[in-house]
Amino acid sequence: MEHKRERIIVGISGASGMPVAFHLMKILQDRTEIETHLVVSESAEITMEMEMKDQSLDDLKNMADVVHDIHQIGAPIASGSFQSKGMIIVPCSMKTVAGIATGYTDNLLLRAADCMIKERRKLVLVVRECPFNQIHLRNMSFLDSCGADIMPMVMTFYNQPQTIEDMVAHIASKALERLGVDSGEYKRWGE
Ligand SMILES: Cc1cc2nc3c(=O)[nH]c(=O)nc-3n(C[C@H](O)[C@H](O)[C@H](O)COP(=O)(O)O)c2cc1C
């Protein structure tokens, strides 16, 4: 049986790219038909402080319907029985990629991602590192073979972005498209 409001789990790990996470949460906040479940890693809190001048972790949490503690391994999202449309991890660090690829799920974010794979639900990884080494590439290739979507934070120019915010919005929208959410901000080629 499907849950009435569709749920999306958003995981935020400690890679660079916090503006994309904030923008994606803002899009989801405006969607009353979607219930967001947020889990933020400890490292993400550090990266957030460094990258976001005017917005805090509390601002991010306020945009979610439900916030889960990263250490609360008994939270509903730790179970495959929790119904959801899928999970998006944005930004996704190479450490989190490695944790998912090896099944080493020692925090709630990793456990929730592991459940997505075992239940064959959507798992979207907005990965960020530059350059990638062989370990990163191998882990990402393996996760692709497990059904995860590997969506690197890469710049796009066909949409003629004028600002960094335009680029951020494009990446957030493109990632949400994988979960069937149309942000209304996404410029499609040829349209
Ligand atoms: C400012 C800052 C930027 C970082 N950027 C990246 C990054 O782009 N990609 C990455 O894989 N790790 C990055 N890291 C390192 C991760 O935060 C670190 O590997 C951490 O252990 C990840 O843990 P988590 O995946 O549990 O959040 C960055 C760290 C800091 C402090």
Side-chain angles (χ1 to χ4, degrees):
M1 204 216 303
E2 276 298 308
H3 188 262
K4 276 188 226 138
R5 270 177 95 194
E6 280 193 304
R7 293 154 161 172
I8 290 181
I9 304 170
V10 179
I12 302 193
S13 71
S16 183
M18 291 303 159
V20 180
F22 273 78
H23 194 85
L24 184 137
M25 285 299 295
K26 179 80 189 79
I27 294 169
L28 290 177
Q29 185 190 24
D30 294 341
R31 298 307 179 89
T32 47
E33 73 278 14
I34 296 171
E35 182 180 291
T36 50
H37 287 251
L38 178 71
V39 57
V40 181
S41 78
E42 283 182 348
S43 306
E45 295 185 26
I46 297 168
T47 315
M48 211 172 287
E49 263 182 41
M50 291 181 175
E51 292 190 336
M52 304 302 294
K53 264 200 197 151
D54 303 324
Q55 284 168 300
S56 67
L57 178 62
D58 282 343
D59 294 325
L60 187 80
K61 287 180 175 174
N62 286 339
M63 289 192 270
D65 292 299
V66 183
V67 180
H68 300 280
D69 186 306
I70 188 79
H71 301 296
Q72 201 194 342
I73 210 69
I77 61 170
S79 170
S81 65
F82 181 85
Q83 289 184 323
S84 73
K85 209 171 162 68
M87 177 173 186
I88 183 159
I89 305 180
V90 54
C92 186
S93 77
M94 291 302 109
K95 182 251 187 184
T96 284
V97 162
I100 305 168
T102 54
Y104 193 79
T105 62
D106 68 341
N107 67 40
L108 181 62
L109 190 156
L110 291 169
R111 171 61 188 169
D114 195 65
C115 286
M116 292 301 116
I117 295 176
K118 86 184 173 78
E119 301 298 331
R120 305 199 188 284
R121 294 202 174 105
K122 264 287 188 208
L123 177 62
V124 181
L125 306 179
V126 185
V127 296
R128 200 275 160 198
E129 188 46 278
C130 186
F132 292 123
N133 67 28
Q134 190 57 229
I135 299 166
H136 306 150
L137 291 166
R138 188 189 58 195
N139 285 338
M140 288 190 289
S141 173
F142 178 64
L143 287 175
D144 172 81
S145 74
C146 296
D149 287 337
I150 307 296
M151 307 272 302
M153 278 193 199
V154 294
M155 293 181 283
T156 305
F157 293 97
Y158 76 79
N159 54 338
Q160 303 193 333
Q162 302 300 305
T163 62
I164 293 174
E165 286 72 29
D166 289 346
M167 290 218 178
V168 163
H170 187 82
I171 294 167
S173 297
K174 188 157 183 148
L176 281 173
E177 285 257 308
R178 309 301 298 174
L179 287 169
V181 178
D182 184 350
S183 69
E185 301 175 355
Y186 187 56
K187 281 194 191 165
R188 295 166 206 285
W189 176 250
E191 286 182 10

